[in-house]
């Protein structure tokens, strides 16, 4: 394991501790061992060096004492910041974005995942190519086909163009794979089968839930997906056709998990992998409820879905790993289930819930919720499709399409 120092700047971020913990987890996932954790309170990063002068000296000392090889920063840094930090700390500097890209790169197995990661890496690299005067190409020796690119062209410009070409070429290759995927997924859609996509923070138990459902529903093409106690075990999308006990069929897909500050280029590059999520009729948002940061993880997943343009797809919150909390399970409340993906009774309850959401028609009802009970209004807005809201003196009158599983829950507010 490579010894690394993690460092970050704390400003008003409320979740700073969590982000630093997550950074350590990411480092571990990349075969690194955190030997020191250095933090600085600053309104904003120092333009040239990210951290302040004193901190950098401290980092140098710690680096020597702990024989660290790498300095890992919690944000995405500018090329200048990286260069200056490297010079002054005598450590290799890696920022959060590059670290995530490295993990993805080492995990990518299929051609599609490899292409997507490679494109994201090159896009990260492009604006970070370094200029330096001694890298100017000697016009005499540049010779060959490069010469007619124009005299005096710098090595930097050539590098840049090479990378751009490579991005274009990889994008073309990816497009060809996408075409095949598109044919597959459109034939799936034409089959008229409803589709469910597992989404959530990495390591929350999406793949375990998928396998649990595959076993329980005993589907003929039940090829298991990989599960592992490791960040980003899954990088590709797997789709399986399943059927409920009454033989009604649906499609279930498992895909890459999310993490905070997922690099924008990476999300963009993974658009095709995440196509199943975009086209799903129902999302199964898997949360590791035994993790003290589960609320944070829900937020991150919701934000990443938004980034993908997924906002109005019906969602079941699946609070997994309840076996580790000591609480009761399985428990269903509205569109939420507390369960354990390793427990058959849980999986059975989850399958029932999914079936209800997928196959029973939504019904329209009119509700009255007094202002004192405002929190139910929030719930209704989250769990149902509100089509009309009127504010009266005493409370709110809402017309909403409600899933059958929620009808009983909200029945006390019925007006007619
Ligand atoms: N105790 C317990 N462990 C679980 C449960 N569900 C999953 N796990 C474990 O959690 C780890 C991660 O599970 P995965 O199913 O691989 O998680 P994932 O969400 O697919 O993760 P990525 O693909 O890496 O994003 C594995 O070690 C699982 O065995 C559960 O209900 N209880
Ligand atoms: Mg997985």
């Amino acid at each position: 394991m490579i010894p690394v120092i993690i460092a970050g700047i704390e400003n008003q971020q409320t979740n700073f501790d969590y982000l630093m913990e997550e950074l350590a987890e990411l480092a571990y996932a990349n075969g690194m061992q955190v030997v020191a954790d250095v933090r600085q309170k600053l309104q904003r990063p120092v333009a040239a060096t990210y951290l302040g002068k004193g901190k950098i000296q401290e980092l140098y000392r710690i680096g020597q004492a702990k024989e660290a090889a790498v300095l890992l920063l919690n944000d995405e840094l500018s090329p200048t910041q990286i260069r200056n930090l490297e010079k002054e700390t005598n450590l290799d500097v890696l920022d959060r974005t590059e670290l995530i890209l490295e993990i993805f790169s080492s995990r990518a197995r299929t051609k599609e995942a490899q292409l997507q990661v490679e494109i994201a890496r090159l896009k990260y690299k492009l604006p970070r190519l370094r200029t330096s005067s001694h890298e100017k190409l000697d016009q005499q020796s540049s010779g060959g086909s490069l010469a007619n690119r124009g005299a005096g062209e710098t090595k930097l410009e050539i590098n840049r163009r090479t990378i751009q070409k490579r991005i274009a070429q990889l994008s073309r290759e990816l497009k060809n794979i996408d075409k095949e995927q598109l044919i597959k997924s459109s034939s799936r859609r034409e089959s008229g089968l409803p589709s469910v996509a597992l989404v959530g923070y990495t390591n929350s138990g999406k793949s375990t839930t998928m396998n649990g459902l595959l076993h329980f529903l005993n589907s003929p093409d039940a090829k298991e997906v990989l599960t592992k106690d490791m960040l980003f075990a899954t990088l590709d999308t797997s789709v399986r056709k399943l059927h409920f006990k009454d033989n009604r069929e649906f499609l279930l897909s498992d895909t890459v998990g999310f993490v905070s500050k997922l690099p924008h280029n990476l999300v963009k590059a993974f658009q095709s992998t995440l196509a199943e999520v975009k086209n799903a009729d129902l999302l199964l948002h898997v949360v590791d409820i035994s993790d003290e940061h589960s609320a944070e993880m829900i937020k991150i997943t919701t934000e990443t879905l938004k980034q993908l343009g997924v906002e109005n797809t019906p969602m079941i919150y699946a609070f997994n790993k309840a076996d580790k909390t000591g609480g009761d399970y399985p428990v269903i409340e509205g569109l939420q289930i507390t369960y354990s993906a390793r427990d058959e009774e849980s999986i059975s309850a989850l399958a029932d819930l999914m079936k209800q959401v997928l196959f029973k028609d939504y019904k329209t009802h009119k509700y009255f919720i007094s202002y004192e009970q405002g929190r139910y209004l929030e719930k209704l807005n989250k769990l149902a499709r509100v089509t009309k809201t009127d504010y009266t003196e005493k409370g709110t009158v809402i017309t909403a399409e409600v899933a059958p599983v929620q009808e009983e829950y909200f029945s006390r507010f019925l007006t007619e």
Side-chain angles (χ1 to χ4, degrees):
M1 290 241 227
I2 305 161
V4 300
I5 302 174
I6 57 173
I9 287 176
E10 180 170 15
N11 44 31
Q12 264 87 39
Q13 292 164 312
T14 49
N15 57 353
F16 180 68
D17 285 341
Y18 170 60
L19 286 171
M20 290 300 283
E21 262 177 56
E22 195 188 69
L23 187 66
E25 284 287 322
L26 287 166
Y28 176 71
N30 198 40
M32 297 166 153
Q33 192 194 357
V34 177
V35 294
D37 177 333
V38 176
R39 304 170 181 208
Q40 183 168 34
K41 279 204 171 99
L42 276 180
Q43 274 307 318
R44 63 184 68 84
V46 178
T49 53
Y50 181 70
L51 294 157
K53 208 173 178 149
K55 270 291 160 200
I56 295 174
Q57 283 166 356
E58 187 185 327
L59 276 170
Y60 176 78
R61 281 195 302 272
I62 297 174
Q64 297 288 312
K66 306 247 177 185
E67 296 183 352
V70 176
L71 172 63
L72 190 59
L73 285 324
N74 188 35
D75 292 295
E76 190 170 311
L77 268 64
S78 75
T80 317
Q81 288 172 332
I82 293 183
R83 201 159 50 236
N84 288 335
L85 274 175
E86 281 185 342
K87 215 162 51 198
E88 291 178 36
T89 61
N90 209 18
L91 294 164
D92 275 340
V93 172
L94 199 67
D95 69 16
R96 189 185 181 96
T97 302
E98 226 179 335
L99 175 65
I100 294 176
L101 288 170
E102 273 195 12
I103 298 172
F104 268 62
S105 179
S106 65
R107 302 271 200 273
R109 289 286 168 271
T110 63
K111 187 77 192 156
E112 186 179 30
Q114 284 164 352
L115 286 171
Q116 291 176 134
V117 178
E118 189 57 21
I119 290 171
R121 278 179 79 136
L122 291 172
K123 283 190 174 164
Y124 172 84
K125 209 167 149 187
L126 197 55
R128 288 178 171 71
L129 289 177
R130 294 170 184 189
T131 358
S132 73
S133 50
H134 67 264
E135 279 182 344
K136 281 238 193 317
L137 269 193
D138 180 343
Q139 283 177 39
Q140 235 78 51
S141 67
S142 64
S145 64
L146 291 179
N148 49 28
R149 290 277 185 225
E153 184 168 44
T154 61
K155 192 174 173 189
L156 175 72
E157 281 157 354
I158 293 172
N159 283 345
R160 206 170 266 160
R161 191 165 24 234
T162 311
I163 289 189
Q164 273 161 348
K165 267 189 162 168
R166 181 96 184 113
I167 292 176
Q169 186 201 341
L170 295 174
S171 303
R172 273 195 304 274
E173 280 180 47
L174 184 61
K175 229 183 206 153
N176 284 333
I177 298 182
D178 281 355
K179 263 187 217 148
E180 294 163 24
Q181 300 284 3
L182 205 68
I183 294 166
K184 268 196 228 157
S185 78
S186 68
S187 73
R188 275 194 219 109
R189 259 196 305 286
E190 275 161 21
S191 70
L193 293 181
S195 64
V196 184
L198 287 150
V199 294
Y201 197 85
T202 180
N203 212 40
S204 58
K206 299 176 294 299
S207 300
T208 310
T209 302
M210 172 117 172
N211 287 341
L213 287 164
L214 284 172
H215 277 292
F216 179 70
L217 300 175
N218 199 16
S219 292
D221 63 345
K223 202 171 127 238
E224 282 208 0
V225 293
L226 167 82
T227 67
K228 214 168 174 184
D229 189 11
M230 152 171 116
L231 300 188
F232 303 113
T234 308
L235 275 201
D236 302 289
T237 302
S238 308
V239 187
R240 303 279 187 273
K241 198 203 289 186
L242 281 82
H243 53 262
F244 291 111
K245 302 276 181 201
D246 61 7
N247 272 334
R248 283 190 287 194
E249 293 181 317
F250 70 103
L251 299 167
L252 182 66
S253 67
D254 177 33
T255 193
V256 58
F258 302 148
V259 75
S260 6
K261 303 193 191 183
L262 206 55
H264 181 68
N265 275 330
L266 202 59
V267 176
K268 240 176 112 182
F270 271 74
Q271 292 270 353
S272 53
T273 288
L274 290 162
E276 295 297 334
V277 172
K278 291 209 228 172
N279 296 327
D281 299 301
L282 173 67
L283 298 178
L284 216 55
H285 180 162
V286 180
V287 180
D288 177 354
I289 199 66
S290 74
D291 193 301
E292 55 173 326
H293 299 296
S294 59
E296 208 66 53
M297 294 165 166
I298 293 176
K299 230 167 80 190
I300 290 159
T301 301
T302 310
E303 277 164 16
T304 314
L305 286 171
K306 221 186 224 173
Q307 222 178 318
L308 283 166
V310 178
E311 282 186 80
N312 298 314
T313 312
M315 185 185 275
I316 290 176
Y317 284 92
F319 298 123
N320 187 28
K321 307 196 191 180
D323 56 310
K324 288 167 86 177
T325 65
D328 284 346
Y329 68 93
V331 177
I332 292 178
E333 193 201 10
L335 279 186
Q336 307 182 345
I337 178 169
T338 305
Y339 76 113
S340 164
R342 293 178 173 175
D343 164 50
E344 188 168 297
E345 194 191 337
S346 287
I347 292 293
S348 161
L350 175 63
D352 277 347
L353 179 61
M354 286 163 60
K355 188 167 74 179
Q356 287 189 57
V357 179
L358 277 179
F359 292 106
K360 293 248 174 67
D361 292 325
Y362 280 46
K363 289 204 182 100
T364 300
H365 290 294
K366 205 167 173 182
Y367 298 103
F368 173 80
I369 297 180
S370 70
Y371 289 125
E372 285 83 7
Q373 292 169 310
R375 65 196 182 93
Y376 288 101
L377 189 64
E378 241 179 70
K379 270 208 156 127
L380 193 64
N381 267 302
K382 204 163 105 189
L383 299 176
R385 205 174 77 86
V386 174
T387 50
K388 194 161 177 264
T389 308
D390 286 317
Y391 299 98
T392 68
E393 219 174 271
K394 294 207 172 111
T396 317
V397 180
I398 307 122
T399 311
E401 281 175 17
V402 182
V405 281
Q406 297 154 0
E407 281 191 287
E408 200 194 344
Y409 184 70
F410 290 114
S411 61
R412 69 196 112 157
F413 302 111
L414 282 173
T415 57
E416 54 197 38

Coordinates of all heavy atoms in Angstrom, one line a residue, residues 81-136:
Q81 N -1.5 24.9 -9.2 CA -1.5 24.5 -7.7 C -0.8 23.2 -7.6 O 0.0 23.0 -6.7 CB -3.0 24.4 -7.3 CG -3.6 25.8 -7.1 CD -5.1 25.7 -6.8 OE1 -5.8 24.7 -7.2 NE2 -5.7 26.7 -6.1
I82 N -1.1 22.3 -8.4 CA -0.5 20.9 -8.3 C 1.0 21.0 -8.5 O 1.8 20.5 -7.7 CB -1.1 20.0 -9.4 CG1 -2.5 19.7 -9.1 CG2 -0.3 18.7 -9.5 CD1 -3.2 18.7 -10.0
R83 N 1.4 21.8 -9.5 CA 2.9 21.9 -9.7 C 3.6 22.6 -8.5 O 4.6 22.1 -8.1 CB 3.1 22.8 -11.0 CG 4.4 22.6 -11.6 CD 4.4 23.0 -13.1 NE 3.9 24.3 -13.3 CZ 2.9 24.6 -14.2 NH1 2.3 23.6 -14.8 NH2 2.5 25.8 -14.3
N84 N 3.0 23.7 -8.0 CA 3.6 24.3 -6.9 C 3.7 23.4 -5.6 O 4.7 23.4 -4.9 CB 2.9 25.6 -6.6 CG 3.2 26.7 -7.6 OD1 4.2 26.6 -8.3 ND2 2.3 27.6 -7.8
L85 N 2.6 22.8 -5.4 CA 2.6 21.9 -4.2 C 3.6 20.8 -4.3 O 4.2 20.4 -3.4 CB 1.2 21.3 -4.1 CG 0.1 22.1 -3.3 CD1 -1.2 21.5 -3.3 CD2 0.6 22.3 -1.8
E86 N 3.7 20.2 -5.5 CA 4.7 19.1 -5.7 C 6.1 19.6 -5.4 O 6.9 18.9 -4.8 CB 4.6 18.6 -7.2 CG 3.4 17.7 -7.3 CD 3.4 17.0 -8.7 OE1 4.0 17.5 -9.7 OE2 2.7 16.0 -8.8
K87 N 6.4 20.9 -5.9 CA 7.7 21.4 -5.7 C 8.0 21.6 -4.2 O 9.0 21.3 -3.7 CB 7.8 22.7 -6.5 CG 9.2 23.0 -7.1 CD 9.2 24.0 -8.1 CE 8.5 25.3 -7.8 NZ 8.2 26.2 -8.9
E88 N 7.0 22.2 -3.5 CA 7.2 22.6 -2.1 C 7.1 21.5 -1.1 O 7.6 21.6 0.0 CB 6.3 23.8 -1.8 CG 6.8 25.0 -2.6 CD 5.9 26.2 -2.3 OE1 5.5 26.4 -1.1 OE2 5.7 27.0 -3.2
T89 N 6.4 20.4 -1.5 CA 6.2 19.3 -0.5 C 7.1 18.1 -0.8 O 7.3 17.2 0.0 CB 4.8 18.8 -0.4 OG1 4.4 18.3 -1.7 CG2 3.8 19.9 0.0
N90 N 7.6 18.1 -2.0 CA 8.4 17.0 -2.5 C 7.6 15.7 -2.5 O 8.1 14.6 -2.4 CB 9.6 16.8 -1.6 CG 10.8 16.2 -2.3 OD1 10.8 16.2 -3.5 ND2 11.8 15.6 -1.6
L91 N 6.3 15.9 -2.7 CA 5.4 14.7 -2.8 C 4.7 14.7 -4.2 O 4.6 15.7 -4.8 CB 4.3 14.8 -1.7 CG 4.8 14.7 -0.3 CD1 3.7 15.2 0.7 CD2 5.2 13.2 0.1
D92 N 4.3 13.5 -4.6 CA 3.4 13.5 -5.8 C 2.1 14.0 -5.4 O 1.5 13.5 -4.4 CB 3.3 12.1 -6.3 CG 4.5 11.7 -7.2 OD1 5.1 12.6 -7.7 OD2 4.7 10.5 -7.4
V93 N 1.5 14.9 -6.2 CA 0.2 15.4 -5.8 C -0.9 14.9 -6.7 O -0.8 14.8 -7.9 CB 0.2 17.0 -5.9 CG1 -1.2 17.5 -5.6 CG2 1.2 17.5 -4.8
L94 N -2.0 14.5 -6.0 CA -3.1 13.9 -6.7 C -4.4 14.6 -6.2 O -4.5 14.7 -5.0 CB -3.2 12.4 -6.4 CG -3.9 11.4 -7.3 CD1 -3.3 11.4 -8.7 CD2 -4.0 10.0 -6.7
D95 N -5.3 15.0 -7.1 CA -6.5 15.6 -6.5 C -7.6 14.6 -6.6 O -7.5 13.5 -7.1 CB -6.9 16.9 -7.2 CG -7.3 16.8 -8.6 OD1 -7.6 15.7 -9.1 OD2 -7.3 17.8 -9.3
R96 N -8.7 15.0 -5.9 CA -9.9 14.0 -5.8 C -10.4 13.5 -7.1 O -10.7 12.3 -7.2 CB -11.0 14.8 -5.0 CG -12.1 13.9 -4.6 CD -13.2 14.8 -4.0 NE -14.3 13.9 -3.5 CZ -14.4 13.5 -2.3 NH1 -13.6 13.9 -1.3 NH2 -15.4 12.7 -2.0
T97 N -10.5 14.4 -8.1 CA -11.0 14.0 -9.4 C -10.1 12.9 -10.0 O -10.6 11.9 -10.5 CB -11.1 15.2 -10.3 OG1 -11.9 16.1 -9.7 CG2 -11.6 14.8 -11.7
E98 N -8.8 13.1 -10.0 CA -7.9 12.2 -10.6 C -7.9 10.8 -9.9 O -7.8 9.8 -10.5 CB -6.5 12.8 -10.5 CG -5.7 12.6 -11.8 CD -4.3 13.3 -11.7 OE1 -4.1 14.1 -10.9 OE2 -3.5 12.8 -12.5
L99 N -8.1 10.9 -8.6 CA -8.1 9.7 -7.8 C -9.4 8.8 -8.2 O -9.3 7.6 -8.5 CB -8.2 10.0 -6.3 CG -8.5 8.8 -5.4 CD1 -7.3 7.9 -5.4 CD2 -8.7 9.3 -3.9
I100 N -10.5 9.5 -8.3 CA -11.7 8.8 -8.7 C -11.5 8.2 -10.1 O -11.9 7.0 -10.4 CB -13.0 9.7 -8.7 CG1 -13.2 10.1 -7.2 CG2 -14.2 9.0 -9.3 CD1 -14.4 11.1 -7.0
L101 N -10.9 9.0 -11.0 CA -10.7 8.5 -12.4 C -9.8 7.3 -12.3 O -10.0 6.3 -13.1 CB -10.1 9.6 -13.2 CG -11.0 10.7 -13.6 CD1 -10.3 11.9 -14.3 CD2 -12.1 10.2 -14.6
E102 N -8.8 7.3 -11.5 CA -7.9 6.1 -11.4 C -8.6 4.9 -10.9 O -8.4 3.8 -11.4 CB -6.7 6.4 -10.4 CG -5.5 7.1 -11.1 CD -4.3 7.1 -10.2 OE1 -4.2 6.4 -9.2 OE2 -3.3 7.8 -10.6
I103 N -9.5 5.1 -9.9 CA -10.2 3.9 -9.4 C -11.1 3.3 -10.5 O -11.1 2.1 -10.8 CB -11.1 4.3 -8.2 CG1 -10.2 4.8 -7.0 CG2 -11.9 3.1 -7.7 CD1 -11.0 5.3 -5.9
F104 N -11.8 4.2 -11.2 CA -12.7 3.8 -12.3 C -11.8 3.0 -13.3 O -12.2 2.0 -13.8 CB -13.4 5.0 -12.9 CG -14.7 5.2 -12.3 CD1 -14.8 5.6 -10.9 CD2 -15.9 5.2 -13.0 CE1 -16.1 5.8 -10.4 CE2 -17.1 5.4 -12.5 CZ -17.2 5.7 -11.1
S105 N -10.7 3.6 -13.6 CA -9.9 3.0 -14.7 C -9.4 1.6 -14.3 O -9.4 0.7 -15.1 CB -8.7 4.0 -14.9 OG -7.8 3.4 -15.8
S106 N -9.0 1.4 -13.0 CA -8.6 0.1 -12.6 C -9.7 -0.9 -12.5 O -9.5 -2.1 -12.6 CB -7.8 0.2 -11.3 OG -8.7 0.5 -10.3
R107 N -11.0 -0.4 -12.4 CA -12.1 -1.3 -12.2 C -12.8 -1.7 -13.6 O -13.5 -2.6 -13.6 CB -13.2 -0.7 -11.3 CG -12.7 -0.3 -10.0 CD -12.9 -1.5 -9.0 NE -12.9 -1.0 -7.6 CZ -11.9 -0.8 -6.9 NH1 -10.6 -1.0 -7.4 NH2 -12.0 -0.4 -5.6
A108 N -12.5 -0.8 -14.6 CA -13.3 -1.0 -15.8 C -12.9 -2.4 -16.5 O -11.7 -2.7 -16.7 CB -12.9 0.1 -16.8
R109 N -13.9 -3.2 -16.7 CA -13.7 -4.5 -17.3 C -14.2 -4.6 -18.8 O -13.5 -5.0 -19.7 CB -14.4 -5.6 -16.5 CG -13.8 -5.8 -15.2 CD -12.4 -6.6 -15.3 NE -11.7 -6.6 -14.0 CZ -10.8 -5.7 -13.7 NH1 -10.5 -4.7 -14.5 NH2 -10.2 -5.7 -12.5
T110 N -15.3 -4.1 -19.0 CA -15.9 -4.2 -20.4 C -15.3 -3.1 -21.3 O -14.8 -2.1 -20.8 CB -17.4 -4.0 -20.4 OG1 -17.7 -2.7 -20.0 CG2 -18.1 -5.1 -19.6
K111 N -15.4 -3.3 -22.6 CA -14.9 -2.3 -23.5 C -15.6 -1.0 -23.3 O -14.9 0.1 -23.3 CB -15.2 -2.9 -24.9 CG -14.6 -2.1 -26.1 CD -13.1 -2.3 -26.2 CE -12.4 -1.3 -27.1 NZ -11.0 -1.1 -26.9
E112 N -16.9 -1.1 -23.1 CA -17.6 0.2 -23.0 C -17.1 1.0 -21.8 O -16.9 2.2 -21.9 CB -19.1 -0.1 -22.8 CG -19.9 1.2 -22.8 CD -21.4 0.9 -22.7 OE1 -21.8 -0.1 -22.1 OE2 -22.2 1.7 -23.3
A113 N -17.0 0.3 -20.6 CA -16.5 1.0 -19.4 C -15.1 1.6 -19.6 O -14.8 2.7 -19.3 CB -16.6 0.1 -18.2
Q114 N -14.3 0.8 -20.3 CA -12.9 1.2 -20.5 C -12.9 2.5 -21.4 O -12.1 3.4 -21.1 CB -12.1 0.1 -21.2 CG -11.7 -0.9 -20.2 CD -11.2 -2.2 -20.8 OE1 -11.3 -2.4 -22.0 NE2 -10.7 -3.2 -20.0
L115 N -13.7 2.5 -22.4 CA -13.7 3.7 -23.3 C -14.2 4.9 -22.6 O -13.7 6.0 -22.7 CB -14.6 3.4 -24.5 CG -14.1 2.4 -25.6 CD1 -15.2 2.1 -26.6 CD2 -12.9 3.1 -26.3
Q116 N -15.3 4.7 -21.8 CA -15.9 5.8 -21.1 C -14.9 6.4 -20.1 O -14.7 7.6 -20.0 CB -17.1 5.4 -20.3 CG -18.3 5.0 -21.3 CD -19.5 4.5 -20.6 OE1 -20.6 4.9 -20.9 NE2 -19.3 3.5 -19.7
V117 N -14.2 5.6 -19.4 CA -13.2 6.1 -18.4 C -12.0 6.8 -19.1 O -11.6 7.9 -18.7 CB -12.6 5.0 -17.5 CG1 -11.6 5.5 -16.6 CG2 -13.7 4.3 -16.7
E118 N -11.6 6.2 -20.2 CA -10.5 6.8 -20.9 C -10.8 8.2 -21.5 O -10.0 9.1 -21.4 CB -10.0 5.8 -22.0 CG -8.7 6.2 -22.8 CD -7.5 6.3 -21.8 OE1 -7.6 5.7 -20.7 OE2 -6.5 7.0 -22.2
I119 N -12.0 8.3 -22.0 CA -12.4 9.6 -22.5 C -12.5 10.6 -21.3 O -12.0 11.7 -21.5 CB -13.8 9.5 -23.2 CG1 -13.7 8.7 -24.5 CG2 -14.4 10.9 -23.4 CD1 -15.1 8.3 -25.1
A120 N -13.0 10.2 -20.2 CA -13.1 11.1 -19.1 C -11.7 11.5 -18.6 O -11.4 12.7 -18.3 CB -13.9 10.5 -17.9
R121 N -10.8 10.6 -18.6 CA -9.4 10.9 -18.2 C -8.7 11.9 -19.1 O -8.0 12.8 -18.7 CB -8.5 9.6 -18.2 CG -8.7 8.8 -16.9 CD -7.9 7.5 -17.0 NE -6.5 7.8 -16.7 CZ -5.8 7.0 -15.9 NH1 -6.3 6.0 -15.4 NH2 -4.5 7.3 -15.7
L122 N -8.9 11.6 -20.4 CA -8.3 12.5 -21.4 C -8.9 14.0 -21.3 O -8.2 15.0 -21.4 CB -8.4 12.0 -22.8 CG -7.6 10.7 -23.1 CD1 -8.0 10.2 -24.5 CD2 -6.1 11.0 -23.1
K123 N -10.2 14.0 -21.0 CA -10.8 15.3 -20.9 C -10.3 16.1 -19.7 O -10.3 17.3 -19.6 CB -12.3 15.2 -20.9 CG -12.9 14.9 -22.3 CD -14.4 15.0 -22.2 CE -15.0 14.9 -23.7 NZ -16.4 14.6 -23.7
Y124 N -10.0 15.3 -18.6 CA -9.4 15.9 -17.4 C -8.0 16.4 -17.7 O -7.6 17.5 -17.3 CB -9.3 14.8 -16.3 CG -8.6 15.3 -15.1 CD1 -9.2 16.1 -14.1 CD2 -7.2 15.0 -14.9 CE1 -8.5 16.5 -13.0 CE2 -6.6 15.4 -13.8 CZ -7.2 16.1 -12.8 OH -6.5 16.5 -11.7
K125 N -7.3 15.6 -18.5 CA -5.9 16.0 -18.8 C -5.7 17.2 -19.7 O -4.8 18.0 -19.6 CB -5.3 14.7 -19.5 CG -3.8 14.5 -19.2 CD -3.4 13.2 -19.7 CE -2.0 13.1 -20.1 NZ -1.6 11.8 -20.7
L126 N -6.6 17.3 -20.7 CA -6.5 18.3 -21.8 C -6.2 19.7 -21.3 O -5.2 20.2 -21.7 CB -7.8 18.2 -22.6 CG -7.7 18.9 -24.0 CD1 -6.5 18.3 -24.8 CD2 -9.0 18.7 -24.7
P127 N -6.9 20.2 -20.4 CA -6.6 21.6 -19.9 C -5.4 21.7 -19.0 O -5.0 22.7 -18.5 CB -7.9 22.1 -19.2 CG -8.6 20.8 -18.8 CD -8.2 19.8 -19.7
R128 N -4.9 20.5 -18.6 CA -3.8 20.4 -17.7 C -2.4 20.2 -18.3 O -1.5 20.0 -17.5 CB -4.1 19.4 -16.6 CG -5.2 19.8 -15.7 CD -5.6 18.7 -14.7 NE -6.5 19.3 -13.7 CZ -7.8 19.6 -14.0 NH1 -8.2 19.4 -15.2 NH2 -8.5 20.1 -13.1
L129 N -2.4 20.1 -19.6 CA -1.1 19.9 -20.2 C -0.2 21.1 -19.9 O -0.6 22.2 -19.8 CB -1.3 19.8 -21.7 CG -2.0 18.6 -22.2 CD1 -2.1 18.6 -23.7 CD2 -1.2 17.3 -21.9
R130 N 1.1 20.8 -19.6 CA 2.0 21.8 -19.1 C 2.7 22.5 -20.2 O 3.2 21.9 -21.2 CB 2.9 21.2 -18.1 CG 2.2 20.8 -16.9 CD 3.1 20.0 -16.0 NE 2.2 19.5 -14.9 CZ 2.7 19.0 -13.8 NH1 4.0 18.8 -13.7 NH2 1.9 18.6 -12.9
T131 N 2.9 23.8 -20.1 CA 3.7 24.5 -21.1 C 5.0 24.8 -20.4 O 5.1 25.2 -19.2 CB 3.2 26.0 -21.3 OG1 2.0 26.1 -20.6 CG2 3.1 26.3 -22.8
S132 N 6.1 24.6 -21.1 CA 7.3 25.2 -20.5 C 8.2 25.5 -21.7 O 8.2 24.8 -22.7 CB 8.0 24.2 -19.5 OG 8.5 23.1 -20.2
S133 N 9.1 26.5 -21.6 CA 9.8 27.0 -22.7 C 10.7 26.0 -23.3 O 10.8 25.9 -24.5 CB 10.6 28.3 -22.3 OG 11.3 28.0 -21.2
H134 N 11.3 25.1 -22.5 CA 12.3 24.2 -23.1 C 11.5 23.0 -23.8 O 12.2 22.2 -24.4 CB 13.2 23.6 -22.0 CG 12.5 22.8 -20.9 ND1 12.1 23.3 -19.7 CD2 12.1 21.5 -21.0 CE1 11.5 22.4 -19.0 NE2 11.5 21.2 -19.8
E135 N 10.2 23.0 -23.7 CA 9.5 22.0 -24.4 C 9.2 22.4 -25.9 O 8.6 21.6 -26.6 CB 8.2 21.6 -23.7 CG 8.4 20.7 -22.5 CD 7.2 20.3 -21.8 OE1 6.1 20.9 -22.0 OE2 7.2 19.3 -21.1
K136 N 9.5 23.7 -26.2 CA 9.3 24.1 -27.6 C 10.1 23.2 -28.5 O 11.2 22.9 -28.4 CB 9.8 25.5 -27.7 CG 8.9 26.6 -27.2 CD 8.5 27.5 -28.3 CE 7.8 28.8 -27.9 NZ 6.8 28.8 -26.9

